[in-house]
mmCIF file of all heavy atoms in Angstrom:
data_model
loop_
_atom_site.group_PDB
_atom_site.id
_atom_site.type_symbol
_atom_site.label_atom_id
_atom_site.label_comp_id
_atom_site.label_asym_id
_atom_site.label_seq_id
_atom_site.Cartn_x
_atom_site.Cartn_y
_atom_site.Cartn_z
ATOM 1 N N TYR U 29 -152.553 -185.397 -77.154
ATOM 2 C CA TYR U 29 -153.134 -186.230 -76.064
ATOM 3 C C TYR U 29 -153.286 -185.370 -74.882
ATOM 4 O O TYR U 29 -154.184 -185.307 -74.164
ATOM 5 C CB TYR U 29 -152.153 -187.358 -75.732
ATOM 6 C CG TYR U 29 -151.962 -188.414 -76.879
ATOM 7 C CD1 TYR U 29 -150.932 -188.261 -77.772
ATOM 8 C CD2 TYR U 29 -153.002 -189.396 -77.097
ATOM 9 C CE1 TYR U 29 -150.883 -189.131 -78.837
ATOM 10 C CE2 TYR U 29 -152.880 -190.283 -78.199
ATOM 11 C CZ TYR U 29 -151.794 -190.216 -79.066
ATOM 12 O OH TYR U 29 -151.652 -190.982 -80.097
ATOM 13 N N GLY U 30 -152.165 -184.552 -74.718
ATOM 14 C CA GLY U 30 -152.165 -183.622 -73.458
ATOM 15 C C GLY U 30 -153.262 -182.659 -73.492
ATOM 16 O O GLY U 30 -153.818 -182.300 -72.427
ATOM 17 N N ARG U 43 -151.340 -189.760 -70.920
ATOM 18 C CA ARG U 43 -151.119 -191.219 -71.087
ATOM 19 C C ARG U 43 -152.429 -191.830 -70.950
ATOM 20 O O ARG U 43 -152.620 -192.947 -71.604
ATOM 21 C CB ARG U 43 -150.159 -191.739 -70.022
ATOM 22 C CG ARG U 43 -148.603 -191.229 -70.321
ATOM 23 C CD ARG U 43 -147.774 -191.941 -69.275
ATOM 24 N NE ARG U 43 -146.793 -192.748 -70.032
ATOM 25 C CZ ARG U 43 -145.565 -192.440 -70.300
ATOM 26 N NH1 ARG U 43 -145.093 -191.290 -69.927
ATOM 27 N NH2 ARG U 43 -144.810 -193.162 -71.097
ATOM 28 N N ALA U 66 -147.450 -184.255 -78.403
ATOM 29 C CA ALA U 66 -147.247 -182.830 -78.351
ATOM 30 C C ALA U 66 -146.065 -182.378 -79.264
ATOM 31 O O ALA U 66 -145.975 -181.148 -79.531
ATOM 32 C CB ALA U 66 -146.827 -182.511 -76.952
ATOM 33 N N ARG U 67 -145.343 -183.336 -79.824
ATOM 34 C CA ARG U 67 -144.201 -182.904 -80.783
ATOM 35 C C ARG U 67 -144.778 -182.880 -82.200
ATOM 36 O O ARG U 67 -143.995 -182.736 -83.120
ATOM 37 C CB ARG U 67 -143.061 -183.877 -80.540
ATOM 38 C CG ARG U 67 -142.496 -183.744 -79.222
ATOM 39 C CD ARG U 67 -141.305 -184.854 -78.953
ATOM 40 N NE ARG U 67 -140.681 -184.599 -77.681
ATOM 41 C CZ ARG U 67 -141.272 -185.030 -76.489
ATOM 42 N NH1 ARG U 67 -142.394 -185.501 -76.534
ATOM 43 N NH2 ARG U 67 -140.513 -184.795 -75.403
ATOM 44 N N SER U 71 -147.510 -191.131 -82.555
ATOM 45 C CA SER U 71 -146.995 -191.909 -81.491
ATOM 46 C C SER U 71 -146.856 -193.417 -81.772
ATOM 47 O O SER U 71 -147.205 -194.245 -80.933
ATOM 48 C CB SER U 71 -147.726 -191.713 -80.176
ATOM 49 O OG SER U 71 -147.458 -190.297 -79.833
ATOM 50 P P DG T 6 -144.640 -201.076 -72.703
ATOM 51 O OP1 DG T 6 -145.023 -202.230 -73.579
ATOM 52 O OP2 DG T 6 -143.130 -200.637 -72.682
ATOM 53 O "O5'" DG T 6 -145.501 -199.815 -73.011
ATOM 54 C "C5'" DG T 6 -146.903 -200.099 -72.937
ATOM 55 C "C4'" DG T 6 -147.612 -198.678 -72.935
ATOM 56 O "O4'" DG T 6 -147.518 -198.001 -71.727
ATOM 57 C "C3'" DG T 6 -147.089 -197.687 -74.017
ATOM 58 O "O3'" DG T 6 -148.144 -197.028 -74.740
ATOM 59 C "C2'" DG T 6 -146.288 -196.709 -73.280
ATOM 60 C "C1'" DG T 6 -146.988 -196.713 -71.917
ATOM 61 N N9 DG T 6 -146.228 -196.394 -70.823
ATOM 62 C C8 DG T 6 -144.891 -196.381 -70.671
ATOM 63 N N7 DG T 6 -144.453 -196.038 -69.408
ATOM 64 C C5 DG T 6 -145.499 -195.526 -68.860
ATOM 65 C C6 DG T 6 -145.717 -194.989 -67.550
ATOM 66 O O6 DG T 6 -144.858 -194.622 -66.737
ATOM 67 N N1 DG T 6 -146.983 -194.590 -67.360
ATOM 68 C C2 DG T 6 -148.061 -194.818 -68.210
ATOM 69 N N2 DG T 6 -149.241 -194.394 -67.856
ATOM 70 N N3 DG T 6 -147.949 -195.368 -69.369
ATOM 71 C C4 DG T 6 -146.743 -195.794 -69.665
ATOM 72 P P DA T 7 -148.620 -197.905 -76.014
ATOM 73 O OP1 DA T 7 -149.876 -198.558 -75.791
ATOM 74 O OP2 DA T 7 -147.530 -198.668 -76.620
ATOM 75 O "O5'" DA T 7 -149.081 -196.656 -77.033
ATOM 76 C "C5'" DA T 7 -147.998 -195.854 -77.664
ATOM 77 C "C4'" DA T 7 -148.672 -194.606 -78.085
ATOM 78 O "O4'" DA T 7 -149.629 -194.861 -79.087
ATOM 79 C "C3'" DA T 7 -149.291 -193.887 -76.940
ATOM 80 O "O3'" DA T 7 -148.962 -192.463 -77.017
ATOM 81 C "C2'" DA T 7 -150.783 -194.123 -77.046
ATOM 82 C "C1'" DA T 7 -150.837 -194.164 -78.651
ATOM 83 N N9 DA T 7 -151.916 -195.053 -79.159
ATOM 84 C C8 DA T 7 -152.127 -196.288 -79.027
ATOM 85 N N7 DA T 7 -153.076 -196.755 -79.660
ATOM 86 C C5 DA T 7 -153.731 -195.685 -80.211
ATOM 87 C C6 DA T 7 -154.830 -195.525 -81.047
ATOM 88 N N6 DA T 7 -155.748 -196.537 -81.266
ATOM 89 N N1 DA T 7 -155.109 -194.277 -81.448
ATOM 90 C C2 DA T 7 -154.267 -193.275 -81.174
ATOM 91 N N3 DA T 7 -153.251 -193.394 -80.410
ATOM 92 C C4 DA T 7 -152.921 -194.550 -79.900
ATOM 93 P P DC T 8 -147.588 -191.777 -76.476
ATOM 94 O OP1 DC T 8 -147.379 -190.884 -77.579
ATOM 95 O OP2 DC T 8 -146.706 -192.966 -76.102
ATOM 96 O "O5'" DC T 8 -148.066 -191.043 -75.238
ATOM 97 C "C5'" DC T 8 -149.283 -190.386 -75.153
ATOM 98 C "C4'" DC T 8 -149.088 -189.155 -74.236
ATOM 99 O "O4'" DC T 8 -148.288 -189.410 -73.115
ATOM 100 C "C3'" DC T 8 -148.335 -188.116 -75.000
ATOM 101 O "O3'" DC T 8 -149.008 -186.752 -74.729
ATOM 102 C "C2'" DC T 8 -146.972 -188.084 -74.488
ATOM 103 C "C1'" DC T 8 -147.194 -188.551 -73.058
ATOM 104 N N1 DC T 8 -146.066 -189.194 -72.502
ATOM 105 C C2 DC T 8 -145.308 -188.750 -71.372
ATOM 106 O O2 DC T 8 -145.827 -187.656 -70.855
ATOM 107 N N3 DC T 8 -144.318 -189.284 -70.919
ATOM 108 C C4 DC T 8 -143.835 -190.407 -71.526
ATOM 109 N N4 DC T 8 -142.747 -191.026 -70.998
ATOM 110 C C5 DC T 8 -144.538 -191.072 -72.726
ATOM 111 C C6 DC T 8 -145.527 -190.349 -73.152
ATOM 112 P P DG T 9 -148.446 -185.391 -75.367
ATOM 113 O OP1 DG T 9 -149.542 -184.524 -75.402
ATOM 114 O OP2 DG T 9 -147.489 -185.665 -76.436
ATOM 115 O "O5'" DG T 9 -147.609 -184.890 -74.049
ATOM 116 C "C5'" DG T 9 -148.078 -184.552 -72.822
ATOM 117 C "C4'" DG T 9 -147.331 -183.757 -71.984
ATOM 118 O "O4'" DG T 9 -146.014 -184.438 -71.484
ATOM 119 C "C3'" DG T 9 -146.659 -182.503 -72.761
ATOM 120 O "O3'" DG T 9 -146.664 -181.274 -71.898
ATOM 121 C "C2'" DG T 9 -145.330 -182.979 -73.086
ATOM 122 C "C1'" DG T 9 -144.953 -183.901 -71.918
ATOM 123 N N9 DG T 9 -143.984 -184.987 -72.230
ATOM 124 C C8 DG T 9 -144.066 -185.707 -73.301
ATOM 125 N N7 DG T 9 -143.095 -186.753 -73.313
ATOM 126 C C5 DG T 9 -142.356 -186.483 -72.136
ATOM 127 C C6 DG T 9 -141.329 -187.099 -71.550
ATOM 128 O O6 DG T 9 -140.694 -188.112 -71.969
ATOM 129 N N1 DG T 9 -140.820 -186.518 -70.349
ATOM 130 C C2 DG T 9 -141.518 -185.513 -69.835
ATOM 131 N N2 DG T 9 -140.920 -185.117 -68.633
ATOM 132 N N3 DG T 9 -142.515 -184.859 -70.279
ATOM 133 C C4 DG T 9 -143.006 -185.446 -71.535
ATOM 134 P P DG T 10 -146.197 -179.935 -72.493
ATOM 135 O OP1 DG T 10 -147.195 -178.965 -71.968
ATOM 136 O OP2 DG T 10 -145.956 -180.054 -73.932
ATOM 137 O "O5'" DG T 10 -144.834 -179.684 -71.804
ATOM 138 C "C5'" DG T 10 -144.772 -179.840 -70.363
ATOM 139 C "C4'" DG T 10 -143.345 -179.668 -69.879
ATOM 140 O "O4'" DG T 10 -142.537 -180.873 -70.152
ATOM 141 C "C3'" DG T 10 -142.533 -178.549 -70.639
ATOM 142 O "O3'" DG T 10 -141.809 -177.884 -69.782
ATOM 143 C "C2'" DG T 10 -141.744 -179.204 -71.730
ATOM 144 C "C1'" DG T 10 -141.403 -180.592 -70.892
ATOM 145 N N9 DG T 10 -141.118 -181.647 -71.822
ATOM 146 C C8 DG T 10 -141.698 -181.954 -73.046
ATOM 147 N N7 DG T 10 -141.168 -183.044 -73.553
ATOM 148 C C5 DG T 10 -140.171 -183.462 -72.692
ATOM 149 C C6 DG T 10 -139.327 -184.582 -72.772
ATOM 150 O O6 DG T 10 -139.235 -185.374 -73.679
ATOM 151 N N1 DG T 10 -138.563 -184.599 -71.715
ATOM 152 C C2 DG T 10 -138.488 -183.804 -70.657
ATOM 153 N N2 DG T 10 -137.770 -183.898 -69.522
ATOM 154 N N3 DG T 10 -139.336 -182.704 -70.542
ATOM 155 C C4 DG T 10 -140.330 -182.634 -71.555
ATOM 156 P P DA T 11 -141.061 -176.520 -70.131
ATOM 157 O OP1 DA T 11 -141.686 -175.342 -69.830
ATOM 158 O OP2 DA T 11 -140.595 -176.663 -71.711
ATOM 159 O "O5'" DA T 11 -139.675 -176.759 -69.349
ATOM 160 C "C5'" DA T 11 -139.522 -177.597 -68.264
ATOM 161 C "C4'" DA T 11 -138.150 -178.079 -68.147
ATOM 162 O "O4'" DA T 11 -138.007 -179.231 -68.952
ATOM 163 C "C3'" DA T 11 -137.153 -177.113 -68.648
ATOM 164 O "O3'" DA T 11 -136.060 -177.068 -67.633
ATOM 165 C "C2'" DA T 11 -136.731 -177.535 -69.964
ATOM 166 C "C1'" DA T 11 -136.871 -179.053 -69.841
ATOM 167 N N9 DA T 11 -137.270 -179.611 -71.213
ATOM 168 C C8 DA T 11 -138.019 -179.245 -72.147
ATOM 169 N N7 DA T 11 -138.114 -180.139 -73.129
ATOM 170 C C5 DA T 11 -137.215 -181.006 -72.811
ATOM 171 C C6 DA T 11 -136.692 -182.244 -73.539
ATOM 172 N N6 DA T 11 -137.265 -182.638 -74.733
ATOM 173 N N1 DA T 11 -135.881 -182.930 -72.915
ATOM 174 C C2 DA T 11 -135.368 -182.616 -71.758
ATOM 175 N N3 DA T 11 -135.707 -181.573 -71.035
ATOM 176 C C4 DA T 11 -136.614 -180.790 -71.552
#
Side-chain angles (χ1 to χ4, degrees):
Chain U
Y29 298 94
R43 292 184 115 102
R67 297 175 174 73
S71 291

